[in-house]
Amino acid sequence: MASFTISPPSASFIAKKDLGLSAFSSSSSSPPFSAPKCKKSVSKKIVSVMAPQQSERMPATTGSVKTAMTMTEKIFARASEEPQVSPGENVWVNVDVLMTHDISGPGSIGIFKREFGPDAKVWDREKVVVIPDHYIFTEDKLANRNVDILRDFCNDQDIKYFYDIKDLGNYKANPDYKGVCHVALAQEGHCRPGEVLLGTDSHTCTAGAFGQFATGIGNTDAGFVLGTGKLLLKVPPTLKFVMDGEMPDYLLAKDLILQIIGEISVAGATYKSMEFAGTTVESLTMEERMTLCNMVIEAGGKNGVVPPDSTTFKYLEDKTSLPYEPVYSDVQARFLTEYRFDVTKLEPLVAKPHSPDNRALARECKDVKIDRVYIGSCTGGKTEDFMAAAKVFLASGKKVRVPTFLVPATGKVCDAD
């Protein structure tokens, strides 16, 4: 069940429909109340929302910042070299890492050369990460050409982090090849707290699990970043999702994010930052936090972010030697909306066709016939995803009844013990 607060509304109560809030629970702790008639038919369940008492906004305690800010706002302030920023402001941010791959890379390179000149050099060869990962194991000549364009550009620019693949018949014959970009970025140490990471892929938001601002951009923006190392971005307001309670062993982070998307809809976080907090989030591994942040784009989110902690720092110990500076939301930071979940009351979920917010309890789908199973991708191809699948496999008596495809996200996942 979820509850939430909104700051700063004038009304004491808000109908659930107004924010797309629902709860998978047989009962609600909040009493029903009358709400204005809606144009569309809605559930009769209503969740009450109380406006928090307004207190004086206290100054932040970090540096020269005078007004309390959220994590994302602090990252924007640092990246734009401003003492403070507010939601809705447009600021020029300095980019720490730009990632591109074989789908969008050639287009971004073409724009870079057109706008900055055929002989122009990228702003920083050590801050560009190029990962062929989408159309590589194929005989399609046009797909192969995309990788060739990346290779020629990286050789000409002396790009330090180009994870090339040449032998399409055996991925192990390619010592530089990594795999799915979003998982590889983390495994290769390109994700660091407090930084700005942009990528030409919508699921670049995965990296927010490390306490950084990470989001997807288009080819034109990427071409500009290649030449300048900067990008004009609007500061997003922040939604806060507080999840508390011990995580049941039958739940995964995928269930948590599907619960959230079901609550707010696929448009509920449009151009908003989604900050995840609470005891449940603190207990999650880095891979599970990556799953949580990976799917904020399915809610329309600009970025997802998790406060870095000892779990984050331990993961990074053998991944990067570069210095980084974590940031955290101030106590008095203002969130557009705050949602709270008691995770102990949640159940495994399914996103039914044809939308991620078409949420249902898994047990409600027990009679749905399954024709094929796929386990993989940037969301579900990590080591812990396969460990979870293995538990189901063992519990079933080691019987596979339908065609099942297992696709590890990276070589390191495939070779994991």
Side-chain angles (χ1 to χ4, degrees):
M1 180 177 179
S3 63
F4 58 93
T5 58
I6 302 177
S7 175
S10 56
S12 295
F13 297 96
I14 294 179
K16 178 178 69 176
K17 175 61 178 177
D18 293 338
L19 292 174
L21 181 66
S22 62
F24 279 109
S25 175
S26 58
S27 63
S28 173
S29 60
S30 302
F33 62 89
S34 299
K37 185 176 181 181
C38 301
K39 294 182 179 180
K40 295 183 179 180
S41 176
V42 300
S43 170
K44 293 182 179 180
K45 286 188 179 180
I46 300 295
V47 176
S48 63
V49 182
M50 298 187 64
Q53 293 183 350
Q54 297 301 307
S55 59
E56 182 181 356
R57 296 179 68 181
M58 302 299 293
T61 58
T62 54
S64 60
V65 178
K66 298 179 180 179
T67 303
M69 294 189 293
T70 66
M71 285 181 64
T72 295
E73 290 162 10
K74 284 188 175 184
I75 295 172
F76 267 66
R78 177 186 296 170
S80 62
E81 301 177 4
E82 296 289 343
Q84 64 186 62
V85 297
S86 300
E89 287 187 52
N90 293 310
V91 295
W92 286 99
V93 301
N94 295 309
V95 179
D96 295 293
V97 175
L98 173 68
M99 184 280 299
T100 191
H101 49 47
D102 50 312
I103 293 181
S104 303
S108 301
I109 291 168
I111 292 170
F112 166 72
K113 290 184 176 181
R114 184 189 71 195
E115 299 300 326
F116 293 92
D119 299 322
K121 295 296 182 181
V122 299
W123 99 100
D124 191 326
R125 73 176 192 87
E126 295 189 7
K127 292 186 176 182
V128 178
V129 181
V130 182
I131 308 178
D133 71 339
H134 276 68
Y135 302 146
I136 49 178
F137 296 109
T138 175
E139 294 183 355
D140 185 277
K141 293 182 179 180
L142 294 179
N144 296 157
R145 185 188 66 177
N146 275 18
V147 179
D148 293 339
I149 292 173
L150 295 183
R151 185 180 301 113
D152 292 342
F153 179 76
C154 290
N155 289 337
D156 179 62
Q157 297 282 335
D158 193 25
I159 299 298
K160 184 175 182 179
Y161 300 109
F162 172 46
Y163 299 113
D164 197 5
I165 181 166
K166 296 179 180 178
D167 189 333
L168 303 182
N170 177 17
Y171 82 90
K172 291 186 176 182
N174 301 273
D176 295 328
Y177 171 70
K178 300 304 175 186
V180 174
C181 58
H182 309 299
V183 180
L185 280 170
Q187 291 180 338
E188 301 307 317
H190 300 296
C191 302
R192 291 176 290 271
E195 294 192 349
V196 172
L197 187 155
L198 304 180
T200 56
D201 190 291
S202 61
H203 287 107
T204 302
C205 51
T206 305
F210 292 85
Q212 64 183 140
F213 176 81
T215 195
I217 59 175
N219 290 2
T220 302
D221 285 345
F224 186 82
V225 174
L226 282 171
T228 66
K230 298 177 181 292
L231 190 62
L232 184 66
L233 291 173
K234 182 168 69 175
V235 182
T238 300
L239 304 176
K240 188 174 184 179
F241 299 87
V242 182
M243 291 171 277
D244 288 315
E246 183 177 355
M247 185 92 148
D249 58 9
Y250 50 78
L251 290 183
L252 295 172
K254 183 68 173 287
D255 297 296
L256 302 184
I257 192 61
L258 287 180
Q259 175 75 16
I260 290 171
I261 296 173
E263 299 282 359
I264 67 175
S265 85
V266 292
T270 300
Y271 210 96
K272 297 178 180 67
S273 174
M274 298 174 68
E275 182 172 326
F276 303 102
T279 58
T280 305
V281 176
E282 293 168 1
S283 71
L284 296 178
T285 65
M286 285 311 303
E287 288 195 355
E288 285 284 81
R289 296 178 189 188
M290 289 167 65
T291 297
L292 202 60
C293 290
N294 174 273
M295 290 190 65
V296 303
I297 188 63
E298 272 70 39
K302 184 64 174 178
N303 71 299
V305 66
V306 175
D309 56 15
S310 58
T311 300
T312 316
F313 307 142
K314 184 173 179 59
Y315 182 93
L316 292 174
E317 281 180 357
D318 61 349
K319 302 292 192 304
T320 181
S321 60
L322 295 179
Y324 54 82
E325 185 177 347
V327 298
Y328 304 90
S329 291
D330 292 314
V331 174
Q332 297 296 326
R334 307 195 76 173
F335 297 93
L336 188 63
T337 314
E338 182 175 300
Y339 297 83
R340 290 185 172 272
F341 298 85
D342 181 350
V343 174
T344 64
K345 297 181 180 180
L346 300 184
E347 295 186 39
L349 296 174
V350 172
K352 299 189 296 184
H354 297 280
S355 177
D357 62 2
N358 191 13
R359 176 188 59 180
L361 296 173
R363 58 181 170 84
E364 295 175 339
C365 304
K366 63 181 180 179
D367 295 327
V368 177
K369 182 179 180 295
I370 297 176
D371 298 306
R372 191 171 296 177
V373 172
Y374 174 91
I375 301 174
S377 79
C378 56
T379 311
K382 301 178 293 297
T383 301
E384 291 171 13
D385 298 314
F386 291 103
M387 294 296 291
K391 290 181 181 179
V392 175
F393 175 65
L394 292 174
S396 69
K398 299 183 180 181
K399 294 181 180 179
V400 177
R401 300 180 184 277
V402 296
T404 301
F405 300 86
L406 308 179
V407 185
T410 66
K412 288 184 177 180
V413 173
C414 188
D415 298 335
D417 294 331

